[in-house]
């Protein structure tokens, strides 16, 4: 018989909205998913229709709820694509422009201007971030400056700003709650992560009126209710997707790290009470806030990870399915001289080289599909090691375990090589939906379904990979990787 208590997670991602129902043992019972349109109005611009996101999200929520007695759903958690920016009219409830997505680069010149004017240090000190079009602030500034009538509406205090969590909550609660959580606020480039407030000086620099901004609450807290057929289900957990995944991976204490292997890689290390300022090109962010107390994290990302496998599949047609890469790599297991640096869009942390471009090194007459595929998988592990090394440098700590999830973490060859090249254990999550699980936990904590100590005991790993490679080989291979990377840097002059 099914357990009779549930938590519902909304996982509002970049390409689809999903709803996942967990039972009281935190096992997945039902999942529904709906994709929505990606809008590309000009090169480098990426938008979503906020009303379409809302409709898709509610559709999958209702589909999942219809499977159970809604009175048994004790709480709702919301995880969302981060940084994506919505501005709407609080009287009509209508967005005044499409959502500007985190990938959108239209504000790159404004970012350069802010940097040229010497503001980078100020922003980094207060927000833990770097000035980049990726974060919400310059997107919000763009909407206020470029949408007809926006300035007047802002002056009349008729506009509201939100990341996608805030937009969903405001609509679900019929405009009652205009709020976000610490983790999402920390991605706006407007939130002071040390003083835990919207920063007046930064708001002024970007001409953002404070009255548009949501109230910032704990990640495990009340955010109003979703009313389904007259039944009020409390929203009790909210977090940005990567922070939610860190929580869902049980990285509750300082020093614990998770890595998500998707198109790119997102690595977060819980640094506890310390907002560690990176010397190695990582960003500092809020992991979550619980009972008003925040935990911080260091974050690094790799632009091209699983996408390198996608390129071999779709660009070079080397195989049909991404998962074929595992058996193909295993056929060339003894070759170790080929390196593939997938710097297709430059290199992110810790290199930060926009002029780098991809390359394959060490080819000989006997190199083929197997060697190149193996080298592509290895590049994902090497880039992950680059991030770990940066985190070790910043925190002065050696770590011994990495929790992993994401599509490419299904690849056993990659996971074993990752353990080998790090000299550390890799724990692959049993529930690969770490993001949805994380906000289910946050909501379950708030409504009292689970206690923190119960969560700590409940981690299920599907598989642990232990390092089997000798120290000498590990160092030799990594040295080869660093040499290959150095030859791709500053490629475009
Ligand atoms: P995202 O959320 O970024 O869309 P996913 O977590 O769904 O990504 O993972 C998809 C990515 O992982 C794709 O780039 C794909 O090439 C890669 N991938 C999926 N399965 C495997 C596999 N078994 N081995 C290697 N790469 C894989």
């Amino acid at each position: 018989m099914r357990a009779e208590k549930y938590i519902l997670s909304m996982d509002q991602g970049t390409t689809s909205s999903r709803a996942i129902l967990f039972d009281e043992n935190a096992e997945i019972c039902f999942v529904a998913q709906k994709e929505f349109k990606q809008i590309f109005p000009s090169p480098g611009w990426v938008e979503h229709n906020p009303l379409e996101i809302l409709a898709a999200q509610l559709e999958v929520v209702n589909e999942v709820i219809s499977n159970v007695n809604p009175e048994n759903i004790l709480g709702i958690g919301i995880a969302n694509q981060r940084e994506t920016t919505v501005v709407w009219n609080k009287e009509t409830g209508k967005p005044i422009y499409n959502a500007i997505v985190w990938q959108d680069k239209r504000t790159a010149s404004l970012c350069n201007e802010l940097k040229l004017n010497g503001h980078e240090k100020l922003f980094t000190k207060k927000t833990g971030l770097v000035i980049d079009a990726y974060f919400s602030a310059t997107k919000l500034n763009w909407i206020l400056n470029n949408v007809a009538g926006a300035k007047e509406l802002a002056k009349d205090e008729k506009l509201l700003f939100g990341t996608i969590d805030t937009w969903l909550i405001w609509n679900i609660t019929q405009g009652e709650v205009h709020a976000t959580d610490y983790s999402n606020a920390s991605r706006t480039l407007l939130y002071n992560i040390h003083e835990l407030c919207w920063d007046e000086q930064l708001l002024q620099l970007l001409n953002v009126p404070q009255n548009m901004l949501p109230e910032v609450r704990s990640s495990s807290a009340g955010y109003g209710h979703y009313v389904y057929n007259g039944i009020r289900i409390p929203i009790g957990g909210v977090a940005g997707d990567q922070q939610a995944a860190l929580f869902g991976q049980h990285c509750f204490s300082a020093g614990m790290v998770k890595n998500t292997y998707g198109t790119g890689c997102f690595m977060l290390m819980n640094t506890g009470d310390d907002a560690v300022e990176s010397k190695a090109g990582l960003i500092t962010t809020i992991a979550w806030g619980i009972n008003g107390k925040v935990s911080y994290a260091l974050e690094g990302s790799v632009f091209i990870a699983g996408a390198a496998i996608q390129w071999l599949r779709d660009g070079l047609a080397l195989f049909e399915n991404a998962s074929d890469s595992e058996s193909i790599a295993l056929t060339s297991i003894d070759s170790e001289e080929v390196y593939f640096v997938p710097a297709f869009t430059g290199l992110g942390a810790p290199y930060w080289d926009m002029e780098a471009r991809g390359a394959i090194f060490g080819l000989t007459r006997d190199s083929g599909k197997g060697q190149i595929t193996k080298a592509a998988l290895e590049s994902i592990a090497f880039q992950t090691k680059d991030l770990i090394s940066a985190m070790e440098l910043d925190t002065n700590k050696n770590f011994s375990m990495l929790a992993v999830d994401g599509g490419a973490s299904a690849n056993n060859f990659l996971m074993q090589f990752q353990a080998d090249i790090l000299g550390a254990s890799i724990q692959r999550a049993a529930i690969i939906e770490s993001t949805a699980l994380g906000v289910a936990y946050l909501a379950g904590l708030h409504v009292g379904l689970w206690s923190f100590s119960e969560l700590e005991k409940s981690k299920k790993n599907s598989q642990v990979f232990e390092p089997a490679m000798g120290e000498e080989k590990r160092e030799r291979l990594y040295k080869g990787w660093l040499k290959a990377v150095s030859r791709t840097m500053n490629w475009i002059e």
Side-chain angles (χ1 to χ4, degrees):
M1 214 178 76
R2 283 215 179 281
E4 278 297 319
K5 288 176 184 160
Y6 304 98
I7 297 284
L8 174 72
S9 286
M10 301 187 198
D11 182 359
Q12 203 304 302
T14 306
T15 56
S16 72
S17 293
R18 302 195 312 145
I20 300 178
L21 198 67
F22 291 92
D23 67 17
E24 62 188 308
N25 300 316
E27 305 276 0
I28 293 177
C29 303
F30 296 100
V31 181
Q33 174 163 4
K34 189 170 167 89
E35 290 194 7
F36 50 83
K37 207 159 82 207
Q38 307 291 314
I39 305 164
F40 306 110
S42 336
W45 293 28
V46 189
E47 299 178 359
H48 294 155
N49 178 345
L51 293 169
E52 192 187 347
I53 288 185
L54 176 67
Q57 189 63 66
L58 291 180
E59 187 181 323
V60 291
V61 161
N62 293 341
E63 186 181 331
V64 158
I65 296 183
S66 68
N67 290 296
V68 296
N69 177 351
E71 289 182 0
N72 293 338
I73 301 176
L74 303 193
I76 293 175
I78 301 178
N80 56 289
Q81 52 166 316
R82 304 179 300 175
E83 296 103 9
T84 298
T85 298
V86 191
V87 176
W88 66 98
N89 182 320
K90 65 180 163 191
E91 287 175 358
T92 64
K94 297 270 184 303
I96 64 164
Y97 191 75
N98 273 336
I100 302 187
V101 179
W102 56 273
Q103 298 153 325
D104 190 293
K105 297 278 181 253
R106 80 185 66 184
T107 57
S109 57
L110 172 58
C111 291
N112 284 337
E113 201 180 300
L114 287 165
K115 286 191 234 176
L116 280 174
N117 290 336
H119 296 308
E120 179 115 81
K121 270 210 176 106
L122 180 79
F123 277 89
T124 300
K125 205 138 208 76
K126 289 169 180 265
T127 68
L129 309 173
V130 292
I131 295 179
D132 194 283
Y134 179 29
F135 304 108
S136 316
T138 57
K139 301 179 196 292
L140 171 51
N141 172 284
W142 188 93
I143 292 175
L144 293 176
N145 280 329
N146 292 279
V147 174
K151 276 193 188 132
E152 294 69 32
L153 287 168
K155 211 187 271 152
D156 294 342
E157 303 197 4
K158 289 197 175 139
L159 295 184
L160 295 177
F161 153 82
T163 40
I164 295 290
D165 53 319
T166 306
W167 165 247
L168 291 177
I169 293 164
W170 190 84
N171 279 284
I172 289 170
T173 62
Q174 322 282 338
E176 223 172 81
V177 179
H178 181 231
T180 189
D181 89 300
Y182 289 115
S183 71
N184 276 298
S186 76
R187 316 296 297 188
T188 57
L189 203 66
L190 296 171
Y191 194 69
N192 189 316
I193 62 168
H194 310 286
E195 293 170 16
L196 303 181
C197 60
W198 297 114
D199 193 281
E200 270 176 40
Q201 196 180 1
L202 302 185
L203 295 181
Q204 255 174 25
L205 277 169
L206 284 154
N207 293 318
V208 173
Q210 179 132 18
N211 61 56
M212 296 181 71
L213 302 177
E215 177 193 332
V216 183
R217 300 185 181 176
S218 283
S219 314
S220 178
Y223 286 82
H225 295 80
Y226 176 52
V227 183
Y228 179 88
N229 285 346
I231 294 158
R232 288 160 62 81
I233 311 172
I235 303 169
V238 177
D241 53 10
Q242 296 304 326
Q243 285 95 327
L246 187 69
F247 203 77
Q249 281 276 20
H250 290 234
C251 294
F252 300 139
S253 328
M256 298 177 91
V257 195
K258 75 93 196 175
N259 194 25
T260 300
Y261 298 79
T263 308
C265 279
F266 282 99
M267 187 184 289
L268 271 80
M269 175 190 266
N270 182 336
T271 59
D273 300 338
D274 291 333
V276 176
E277 212 174 300
S278 180
K279 298 178 278 300
L282 305 170
I283 58 177
T284 313
T285 201
I286 297 181
W288 47 74
I290 296 178
N291 295 329
K293 184 176 175 307
V294 304
S295 294
Y296 293 94
L298 273 174
E299 176 174 323
S301 37
V302 164
F303 301 142
I304 304 287
I309 302 304
Q310 231 165 8
W311 181 71
L312 296 185
R313 186 194 63 189
D314 305 340
L316 301 191
L318 291 194
F319 40 78
E320 227 167 86
N321 299 304
S323 56
D324 300 338
S325 61
E326 181 172 333
S327 55
I328 294 169
L330 285 167
T331 60
S332 65
I333 200 81
D334 288 333
S335 73
E336 55 184 56
E337 62 282 349
V338 177
Y339 289 91
F340 180 164
V341 184
F344 298 153
T345 55
L347 288 166
Y351 305 104
W352 295 114
D353 184 353
M354 290 299 115
E355 275 79 46
R357 284 299 176 269
I360 301 174
F361 296 92
L363 296 174
T364 53
R365 276 295 291 269
D366 60 345
S367 307
K369 174 167 146 176
Q371 286 71 23
I372 290 175
T373 304
K374 176 169 168 277
L377 288 170
E378 288 174 350
S379 78
I380 302 174
F382 283 129
Q383 293 182 94
T384 297
K385 184 175 167 76
D386 291 338
L387 291 181
I388 288 280
S389 303
M391 286 183 178
E392 287 183 334
L393 198 78
D394 279 340
T395 57
N396 252 332
K397 282 194 191 98
N398 286 333
F399 91 109
S400 57
M401 197 278 286
L402 179 66
V404 305
D405 54 51
S409 75
N411 190 304
N412 292 322
F413 169 82
L414 170 59
M415 292 300 105
Q416 184 56 49
F417 186 75
Q418 187 71 82
D420 287 341
I421 208 68
L422 289 176
S425 312
I426 304 297
Q427 289 192 358
R428 183 165 59 196
I431 296 182
I432 217 148
E433 307 286 354
S434 312
T435 299
L437 185 62
V439 283
Y441 281 167
L442 289 165
L445 276 175
H446 175 68
V447 299
L449 176 61
W450 299 306
S451 69
F452 211 79
S453 60
E454 279 170 323
L455 292 189
E456 276 179 325
K457 280 186 248 147
S458 69
K459 172 134 202 205
K460 304 173 193 95
N461 289 316
S462 74
Q463 206 166 341
V464 179
F465 297 83
E466 296 292 352
M469 188 182 278
E471 188 66 32
E472 183 274 330
K473 183 169 175 187
R474 176 180 308 137
E475 278 176 16
R476 177 162 47 82
L477 292 187
Y478 191 54
K479 221 165 125 190
W481 164 255
L482 294 176
K483 181 165 147 193
V485 168
S486 71
R487 297 198 177 174
T488 66
M489 293 184 75
N490 296 311
W491 183 257
I492 297 173
E493 282 167 11

